[in-house]
Each structure stands twice: as C-alpha cells, then as structure tokens.
Amino acid sequence: MNSRNDFLKPGSDKETFVNSPYVTEMRKITNELYRHGWDERNGGNVSYRLTEAEVSAYSDVHQVLRNIPIDFDASALKGTYFLVTGTGRYFKNVIDFPERDTGLVKISDDGHSADLLWGFNDGGQPTSEFPSHLMTHIQRLKQDPDQRVVMHCHPTNLIAMSFTVPQDEKTFSRILWKMQAESIVVFPEGLGILPYMTPGTNEIGQATADKMADFRVVMWPHHGIFAAGDSIDETYGLIETVEKAAQIYTTIQAQGGECLAEISDADLVKLAKRFDLTPNPEFMDGKSMIRETVK
Ligand code: 2HA
Ligand code: ZN
C-alpha cells in the first residue's frame, strides 16, 4: 500500500532498476543469443560491469538482499558492480523475467563474496561460470580500462569445427580470417583456444583469463566461446563475426570442401593496412585454402 510517507522516502522518486537501459540491453541480448540457437536450455551466460554512477541512479539497488560466496580471490574487482545472468536460467525466459533470471551484485572488499542488490528474486545465484567471467574481467581490465562485458555461448558451427579442424590457434584463426574480409578487421589478434576442460571450474576460469591476455575471443572446444569487450554490442558482434566465418566454412565443406579462390595472405596484409590494425604476426603466413591439386 502506498502512503504519503512511502512516496517521500529518499530515492523513491527515482526509477527502478528493472527499467534501466542495462537490464533492457541484457533482456535483448539474451533473446538474440537464444534466437540464434546459441543458448539452448540453460546454455550461456553474460556479465556486464556497471559503474557506481550508473547504478546509484536507481531507487531499489541500495540494500544488500543477501551475500553470495565467491570461491576464489576476486578482490581485484572489489566494489565493482555486475549485472549477471543466473545459474540454471534459460535465455529463452530472461526477456520476460529479468528480475528472476538476472541479478545485480557488488563484489565485496575481500573478494570472496558478492552482495546481491537486485534480482535473483526467487533465490537464484550468478552463473556457474561466474569465476571465468570475473577472472576474464580482471585480465581484460589490465588491457583495456573500458572493458565491460563477458559473454559465453554455444555457437553451433564453431563448436562443430572444434571436431574437424586441428585445435591450433594459427590454423583456426587463419581459416576464420579467410572466410570473409570482415574477420581480420574484427578480431585481428585471432582466436584463442583452450584444451577441452570441465566447465564451471576455477581451472577453466584461470585458463580462459590467461588466454584473454592475448585474445578477446577464446574457444572452449566441444562447448562454446568466451568473448570480452567494451559493450554488449561489441562483444556480441565479435561472437557473431566468428560464428559467421565458421558458418561459411561449414557451408564450404557441405559444398564439397574445395576452395578454388581465397582471401590470400597478401589480401590480409592489405585489409590490415586499410583498417589500420595490427594482426597477430604469428598467424600472417601459412597454408593456403586452395589445395595444390585444384590450383
Ligand atoms: O551456463 O553454458 O558453460 C551454462 C553454460 C555452462
Ligand atoms: Zn556453456
């Protein structure tokens, strides 16, 4: 029941967090990921770093609802806010139930827990991959102070390639670069690759974060992809571009697999020059897509 007193409570004239642009972005992107078929069932997770100024504008995020343990030392992120998807939640549903399937947390000073300020209103918790997300944020923030988003999903064609293409960063990156002119422009550092590891563990989190020192996009073979970036759009765009290249590769294989033409290594150099970027020098020359027999 609203009384005059409620109305006059400090902050009560401010908007509620569920209507913030951050929750709106999260609802939209989880839906996009679901609609692409990259986040079946409870697959995938997203974390979005927010600033004190962004969060404090809302009336309903100033009380600690509960404390959630973190099983490693995340003190490098003390006081940092994250809007994060929940463990076991279906991306299909986030658009309709953002206050149940996502939560806003603030990392405690000792880095071993997070205060829940909003969301997870049926008792939920952050994603099982939260350690991987936080470790990746810590790593990427060293590279880029504007680092904001970590996104994990299960893109079909890239996962399929992890069964048929040698799991080596140079081979994978060169194939993806040569599938479309846009690839090297969007991920000039190439694709990082981990060995197959058990998801949801601190070990895969640390291995992912170590790779993120050199890459913004890392493949987990037979599972999916981790990407990091300055915004939801940029991070999603990175995944879209990698997966589009993987889809073109898959289509080429379905058409018989023989390439009669390709983006040559010299073309890659020209693309790098035109867009003023420095591609990973270790991946700049190597095998052609055109087999000797068809040349
Ligand atoms: O959150 O995708 O890797 C579910 C997953 C785990
Ligand atoms: Zn996954």
Side-chain angles (χ1 to χ4, degrees):
M1 202 171 43
N2 273 343
S3 69
R4 191 175 148 74
N5 264 356
D6 281 340
F7 184 69
L8 292 175
K9 262 195 226 158
S12 65
D13 57 333
K14 291 184 183 171
E15 282 187 63
T16 52
F17 191 66
V18 74
N19 296 314
S20 69
Y22 319 111
V23 173
T24 303
E25 280 181 281
M26 197 64 130
R27 292 169 67 190
K28 282 187 182 167
I29 206 63
T30 46
N31 193 249
E32 278 300 320
L33 288 156
Y34 169 67
R35 296 220 154 270
H36 270 86
W38 301 339
D39 284 304
E40 69 292 337
R41 202 173 183 275
N42 64 319
N45 24 78
V46 181
S47 61
Y48 186 0
R49 180 174 68 83
L50 300 178
T51 67
E52 174 96 46
E54 287 163 345
V55 169
S56 62
Y58 297 92
S59 58
D60 54 346
V61 295
H62 299 281
Q63 266 176 10
V64 178
L65 305 175
R66 59 195 150 90
N67 186 259
I68 297 167
I70 295 176
D71 191 22
F72 77 102
D73 178 5
S75 57
L77 294 168
K78 69 177 176 187
T80 308
Y81 297 86
F82 290 100
L83 178 60
V84 59
T85 54
T87 184
R89 301 311 157 104
Y90 292 23
F91 273 17
K92 177 169 73 71
N93 297 333
V94 177
I95 193 159
D96 293 322
F97 302 101
E99 203 155 348
R100 182 192 73 185
D101 294 344
T102 74
L104 177 71
V105 297
K106 183 181 183 184
I107 308 298
S108 67
D109 283 354
D110 72 2
H112 283 287
S113 69
D115 288 334
L116 179 68
L117 302 173
W118 175 91
F120 298 143
N121 66 6
D122 65 348
Q125 303 257 354
T127 166
S128 58
E129 305 295 359
F130 205 35
S132 294
H133 281 247
L134 295 179
M135 291 179 197
T136 297
H137 280 287
I138 292 170
Q139 178 64 265
R140 289 305 312 168
L141 278 164
K142 291 182 195 161
Q143 268 65 235
D144 173 9
D146 295 327
Q147 160 63 30
R148 286 265 198 169
V149 175
V150 173
M151 201 175 279
H152 165 65
C153 67
H154 302 162
T156 315
N157 293 285
L158 189 75
I159 296 171
M161 281 179 74
S162 73
F163 292 90
T164 59
V165 174
Q167 288 172 23
D168 128 70
E169 287 164 352
K170 178 172 178 177
T171 305
F172 248 90
S173 299
R174 284 177 57 79
I175 290 175
L176 297 175
W177 279 354
K178 284 172 175 250
M179 291 300 102
Q180 56 190 355
E182 203 190 348
S183 282
I184 197 168
V185 179
V186 176
F187 51 103
E189 65 274 60
L191 176 81
I193 304 180
L194 294 189
Y196 177 80
M197 295 175 78
T198 306
T201 60
N202 284 357
E203 288 71 30
I204 200 168
Q206 196 51 59
T208 305
D210 290 347
K211 279 285 169 208
M212 287 280 180
D214 300 314
F215 301 95
R216 288 169 301 140
V217 62
V218 173
M219 181 176 79
W220 289 4
H222 321 324
H223 180 152
I225 196 168
F226 248 77
D230 291 0
S231 67
I232 293 272
D233 275 357
E234 199 215 325
T235 314
Y236 179 72
L238 188 52
I239 293 173
E240 265 185 315
T241 311
V242 169
E243 174 59 4
K244 180 66 186 285
Q247 186 182 7
I248 297 168
Y249 180 77
T250 305
T251 307
I252 291 170
Q253 300 311 305
Q255 290 179 3
E258 256 173 1
C259 292
L260 305 181
E262 71 169 340
I263 294 177
S264 69
D265 290 8
D267 292 330
L268 292 178
V269 172
K270 283 184 205 162
L271 276 164
K273 204 167 162 208
R274 165 65 184 83
F275 292 95
D276 196 21
L277 45 91
T278 311
N280 191 326
E282 287 167 31
F283 301 167
M284 282 307 276
D285 62 297
K287 268 199 231 146
S288 164
M289 299 293 301
I290 306 171
R291 286 212 221 118
E292 291 304 319
T293 47
V294 274
K295 254 192 195 161

PDB file of all heavy atoms in Angstrom, residues 155-165 172 219 222-223 243 246 249-250:
ATOM      1  N   PRO A 155      27.954 -21.387 -29.976  1.00  0.00           N
ATOM      2  CA  PRO A 155      27.675 -21.216 -31.420  1.00  0.00           C
ATOM      3  C   PRO A 155      27.952 -22.505 -32.195  1.00  0.00           C
ATOM      4  O   PRO A 155      29.049 -23.061 -32.136  1.00  0.00           O
ATOM      5  CB  PRO A 155      28.630 -20.094 -31.843  1.00  0.00           C
ATOM      6  CG  PRO A 155      29.612 -19.912 -30.737  1.00  0.00           C
ATOM      7  CD  PRO A 155      29.192 -20.729 -29.567  1.00  0.00           C
ATOM      8  N   THR A 156      26.956 -22.941 -32.915  1.00  0.00           N
ATOM      9  CA  THR A 156      26.925 -24.294 -33.480  1.00  0.00           C
ATOM     10  C   THR A 156      28.086 -24.599 -34.425  1.00  0.00           C
ATOM     11  O   THR A 156      28.751 -25.635 -34.302  1.00  0.00           O
ATOM     12  CB  THR A 156      25.595 -24.478 -34.259  1.00  0.00           C
ATOM     13  OG1 THR A 156      24.548 -23.943 -33.449  1.00  0.00           O
ATOM     14  CG2 THR A 156      25.336 -25.928 -34.587  1.00  0.00           C
ATOM     15  N   ASN A 157      28.330 -23.710 -35.387  1.00  0.00           N
ATOM     16  CA  ASN A 157      29.330 -24.025 -36.415  1.00  0.00           C
ATOM     17  C   ASN A 157      30.751 -24.013 -35.859  1.00  0.00           C
ATOM     18  O   ASN A 157      31.585 -24.832 -36.245  1.00  0.00           O
ATOM     19  CB  ASN A 157      29.195 -23.050 -37.585  1.00  0.00           C
ATOM     20  CG  ASN A 157      27.889 -23.258 -38.320  1.00  0.00           C
ATOM     21  OD1 ASN A 157      27.743 -24.217 -39.061  1.00  0.00           O
ATOM     22  ND2 ASN A 157      26.923 -22.381 -38.077  1.00  0.00           N
ATOM     23  N   LEU A 158      31.015 -23.098 -34.950  1.00  0.00           N
ATOM     24  CA  LEU A 158      32.358 -23.066 -34.354  1.00  0.00           C
ATOM     25  C   LEU A 158      32.595 -24.322 -33.520  1.00  0.00           C
ATOM     26  O   LEU A 158      33.679 -24.922 -33.587  1.00  0.00           O
ATOM     27  CB  LEU A 158      32.540 -21.806 -33.497  1.00  0.00           C
ATOM     28  CG  LEU A 158      33.988 -21.624 -33.030  1.00  0.00           C
ATOM     29  CD1 LEU A 158      34.885 -21.141 -34.170  1.00  0.00           C
ATOM     30  CD2 LEU A 158      34.091 -20.680 -31.843  1.00  0.00           C
ATOM     31  N   ILE A 159      31.587 -24.724 -32.755  1.00  0.00           N
ATOM     32  CA  ILE A 159      31.731 -25.950 -31.956  1.00  0.00           C
ATOM     33  C   ILE A 159      31.980 -27.136 -32.892  1.00  0.00           C
ATOM     34  O   ILE A 159      32.868 -27.959 -32.644  1.00  0.00           O
ATOM     35  CB  ILE A 159      30.482 -26.190 -31.070  1.00  0.00           C
ATOM     36  CG1 ILE A 159      30.329 -25.069 -30.036  1.00  0.00           C
ATOM     37  CG2 ILE A 159      30.577 -27.550 -30.364  1.00  0.00           C
ATOM     38  CD1 ILE A 159      29.026 -25.093 -29.251  1.00  0.00           C
ATOM     39  N   ALA A 160      31.245 -27.197 -34.002  1.00  0.00           N
ATOM     40  CA  ALA A 160      31.445 -28.303 -34.961  1.00  0.00           C
ATOM     41  C   ALA A 160      32.880 -28.301 -35.488  1.00  0.00           C
ATOM     42  O   ALA A 160      33.511 -29.357 -35.610  1.00  0.00           O
ATOM     43  CB  ALA A 160      30.436 -28.181 -36.103  1.00  0.00           C
ATOM     44  N   MET A 161      33.395 -27.109 -35.777  1.00  0.00           N
ATOM     45  CA  MET A 161      34.780 -27.033 -36.286  1.00  0.00           C
ATOM     46  C   MET A 161      35.797 -27.567 -35.271  1.00  0.00           C
ATOM     47  O   MET A 161      36.867 -28.034 -35.651  1.00  0.00           O
ATOM     48  CB  MET A 161      35.137 -25.581 -36.642  1.00  0.00           C
ATOM     49  CG  MET A 161      34.584 -25.114 -37.974  1.00  0.00           C
ATOM     50  SD  MET A 161      35.021 -23.382 -38.296  1.00  0.00           S
ATOM     51  CE  MET A 161      36.778 -23.504 -38.697  1.00  0.00           C
ATOM     52  N   SER A 162      35.461 -27.498 -33.973  1.00  0.00           N
ATOM     53  CA  SER A 162      36.423 -27.982 -32.971  1.00  0.00           C
ATOM     54  C   SER A 162      36.585 -29.499 -33.041  1.00  0.00           C
ATOM     55  O   SER A 162      37.496 -30.059 -32.440  1.00  0.00           O
ATOM     56  CB  SER A 162      36.036 -27.518 -31.553  1.00  0.00           C
ATOM     57  OG  SER A 162      34.911 -28.220 -31.053  1.00  0.00           O
ATOM     58  N   PHE A 163      35.688 -30.177 -33.814  1.00  0.00           N
ATOM     59  CA  PHE A 163      35.823 -31.625 -34.021  1.00  0.00           C
ATOM     60  C   PHE A 163      36.585 -31.954 -35.309  1.00  0.00           C
ATOM     61  O   PHE A 163      37.146 -33.028 -35.427  1.00  0.00           O
ATOM     62  CB  PHE A 163      34.431 -32.284 -34.106  1.00  0.00           C
ATOM     63  CG  PHE A 163      33.665 -32.256 -32.816  1.00  0.00           C
ATOM     64  CD1 PHE A 163      32.821 -31.197 -32.516  1.00  0.00           C
ATOM     65  CD2 PHE A 163      33.798 -33.280 -31.886  1.00  0.00           C
ATOM     66  CE1 PHE A 163      32.103 -31.161 -31.327  1.00  0.00           C
ATOM     67  CE2 PHE A 163      33.094 -33.251 -30.690  1.00  0.00           C
ATOM     68  CZ  PHE A 163      32.243 -32.190 -30.407  1.00  0.00           C
ATOM     69  N   THR A 164      36.569 -31.030 -36.268  1.00  0.00           N
ATOM     70  CA  THR A 164      37.079 -31.388 -37.600  1.00  0.00           C
ATOM     71  C   THR A 164      38.350 -30.640 -38.000  1.00  0.00           C
ATOM     72  O   THR A 164      39.018 -31.031 -38.946  1.00  0.00           O
ATOM     73  CB  THR A 164      36.012 -31.107 -38.683  1.00  0.00           C
ATOM     74  OG1 THR A 164      35.677 -29.713 -38.653  1.00  0.00           O
ATOM     75  CG2 THR A 164      34.760 -31.929 -38.472  1.00  0.00           C
ATOM     76  N   VAL A 165      38.664 -29.565 -37.292  1.00  0.00           N
ATOM     77  CA  VAL A 165      39.858 -28.758 -37.615  1.00  0.00           C
ATOM     78  C   VAL A 165      40.837 -28.921 -36.453  1.00  0.00           C
ATOM     79  O   VAL A 165      40.400 -28.937 -35.294  1.00  0.00           O
ATOM     80  CB  VAL A 165      39.455 -27.264 -37.786  1.00  0.00           C
ATOM     81  CG1 VAL A 165      40.678 -26.384 -37.969  1.00  0.00           C
ATOM     82  CG2 VAL A 165      38.476 -27.094 -38.947  1.00  0.00           C
ATOM     83  N   PHE A 172      43.138 -22.349 -36.900  1.00  0.00           N
ATOM     84  CA  PHE A 172      41.758 -21.866 -36.740  1.00  0.00           C
ATOM     85  C   PHE A 172      41.626 -20.402 -37.142  1.00  0.00           C
ATOM     86  O   PHE A 172      40.729 -20.018 -37.885  1.00  0.00           O
ATOM     87  CB  PHE A 172      41.310 -22.026 -35.275  1.00  0.00           C
ATOM     88  CG  PHE A 172      40.244 -23.054 -35.099  1.00  0.00           C
ATOM     89  CD1 PHE A 172      40.575 -24.378 -34.851  1.00  0.00           C
ATOM     90  CD2 PHE A 172      38.910 -22.707 -35.185  1.00  0.00           C
ATOM     91  CE1 PHE A 172      39.601 -25.339 -34.684  1.00  0.00           C
ATOM     92  CE2 PHE A 172      37.918 -23.659 -35.019  1.00  0.00           C
ATOM     93  CZ  PHE A 172      38.271 -24.979 -34.769  1.00  0.00           C
ATOM     94  N   MET A 219      37.975 -19.972 -27.689  1.00  0.00           N
ATOM     95  CA  MET A 219      37.105 -21.132 -27.915  1.00  0.00           C
ATOM     96  C   MET A 219      37.317 -22.184 -26.835  1.00  0.00           C
ATOM     97  O   MET A 219      38.472 -22.482 -26.488  1.00  0.00           O
ATOM     98  CB  MET A 219      37.400 -21.747 -29.290  1.00  0.00           C
ATOM     99  CG  MET A 219      36.520 -22.935 -29.614  1.00  0.00           C
ATOM    100  SD  MET A 219      36.794 -23.583 -31.281  1.00  0.00           S
ATOM    101  CE  MET A 219      38.285 -24.550 -31.043  1.00  0.00           C
ATOM    102  N   HIS A 222      34.431 -28.211 -28.217  1.00  0.00           N
ATOM    103  CA  HIS A 222      33.271 -29.069 -27.950  1.00  0.00           C
ATOM    104  C   HIS A 222      32.298 -28.443 -26.951  1.00  0.00           C
ATOM    105  O   HIS A 222      31.487 -29.146 -26.339  1.00  0.00           O
ATOM    106  CB  HIS A 222      33.696 -30.471 -27.449  1.00  0.00           C
ATOM    107  CG  HIS A 222      34.913 -31.013 -28.142  1.00  0.00           C
ATOM    108  ND1 HIS A 222      35.173 -30.796 -29.478  1.00  0.00           N
ATOM    109  CD2 HIS A 222      35.961 -31.733 -27.683  1.00  0.00           C
ATOM    110  CE1 HIS A 222      36.307 -31.378 -29.804  1.00  0.00           C
ATOM    111  NE2 HIS A 222      36.817 -31.939 -28.733  1.00  0.00           N
ATOM    112  N   HIS A 223      32.386 -27.155 -26.761  1.00  0.00           N
ATOM    113  CA  HIS A 223      31.496 -26.498 -25.791  1.00  0.00           C
ATOM    114  C   HIS A 223      31.015 -25.125 -26.289  1.00  0.00           C
ATOM    115  O   HIS A 223      29.818 -24.916 -26.437  1.00  0.00           O
ATOM    116  CB  HIS A 223      32.223 -26.371 -24.437  1.00  0.00           C
ATOM    117  CG  HIS A 223      31.402 -25.715 -23.381  1.00  0.00           C
ATOM    118  ND1 HIS A 223      31.549 -25.972 -22.044  1.00  0.00           N
ATOM    119  CD2 HIS A 223      30.417 -24.783 -23.454  1.00  0.00           C
ATOM    120  CE1 HIS A 223      30.668 -25.254 -21.353  1.00  0.00           C
ATOM    121  NE2 HIS A 223      29.982 -24.518 -22.187  1.00  0.00           N
ATOM    122  N   GLU A 243      31.304 -16.634 -35.549  1.00  0.00           N
ATOM    123  CA  GLU A 243      30.368 -17.704 -35.903  1.00  0.00           C
ATOM    124  C   GLU A 243      29.958 -17.618 -37.377  1.00  0.00           C
ATOM    125  O   GLU A 243      29.761 -18.644 -38.031  1.00  0.00           O
ATOM    126  CB  GLU A 243      29.150 -17.668 -34.967  1.00  0.00           C
ATOM    127  CG  GLU A 243      28.033 -18.635 -35.300  1.00  0.00           C
ATOM    128  CD  GLU A 243      28.402 -20.127 -35.309  1.00  0.00           C
ATOM    129  OE1 GLU A 243      29.547 -20.486 -34.975  1.00  0.00           O
ATOM    130  OE2 GLU A 243      27.528 -20.938 -35.701  1.00  0.00           O
ATOM    131  N   ALA A 246      32.639 -19.257 -39.230  1.00  0.00           N
ATOM    132  CA  ALA A 246      32.543 -20.712 -39.032  1.00  0.00           C
ATOM    133  C   ALA A 246      31.396 -21.289 -39.878  1.00  0.00           C
ATOM    134  O   ALA A 246      31.498 -22.398 -40.410  1.00  0.00           O
ATOM    135  CB  ALA A 246      32.327 -21.036 -37.553  1.00  0.00           C
ATOM    136  N   TYR A 249      32.607 -21.534 -43.419  1.00  0.00           N
ATOM    137  CA  TYR A 249      33.494 -22.701 -43.537  1.00  0.00           C
ATOM    138  C   TYR A 249      32.665 -23.992 -43.626  1.00  0.00           C
ATOM    139  O   TYR A 249      32.922 -24.853 -44.477  1.00  0.00           O
ATOM    140  CB  TYR A 249      34.453 -22.761 -42.336  1.00  0.00           C
ATOM    141  CG  TYR A 249      35.392 -23.940 -42.399  1.00  0.00           C
ATOM    142  CD1 TYR A 249      36.500 -23.929 -43.254  1.00  0.00           C
ATOM    143  CD2 TYR A 249      35.164 -25.077 -41.640  1.00  0.00           C
ATOM    144  CE1 TYR A 249      37.359 -25.020 -43.337  1.00  0.00           C
ATOM    145  CE2 TYR A 249      36.014 -26.171 -41.710  1.00  0.00           C
ATOM    146  CZ  TYR A 249      37.109 -26.133 -42.564  1.00  0.00           C
ATOM    147  OH  TYR A 249      37.955 -27.210 -42.641  1.00  0.00           O
ATOM    148  N   THR A 250      31.672 -24.099 -42.763  1.00  0.00           N
ATOM    149  CA  THR A 250      30.806 -25.287 -42.746  1.00  0.00           C
ATOM    150  C   THR A 250      30.085 -25.441 -44.088  1.00  0.00           C
ATOM    151  O   THR A 250      29.961 -26.546 -44.628  1.00  0.00           O
ATOM    152  CB  THR A 250      29.766 -25.162 -41.602  1.00  0.00           C
ATOM    153  OG1 THR A 250      30.471 -24.939 -40.390  1.00  0.00           O
ATOM    154  CG2 THR A 250      28.910 -26.399 -41.478  1.00  0.00           C
TER     155      THR A 250
END
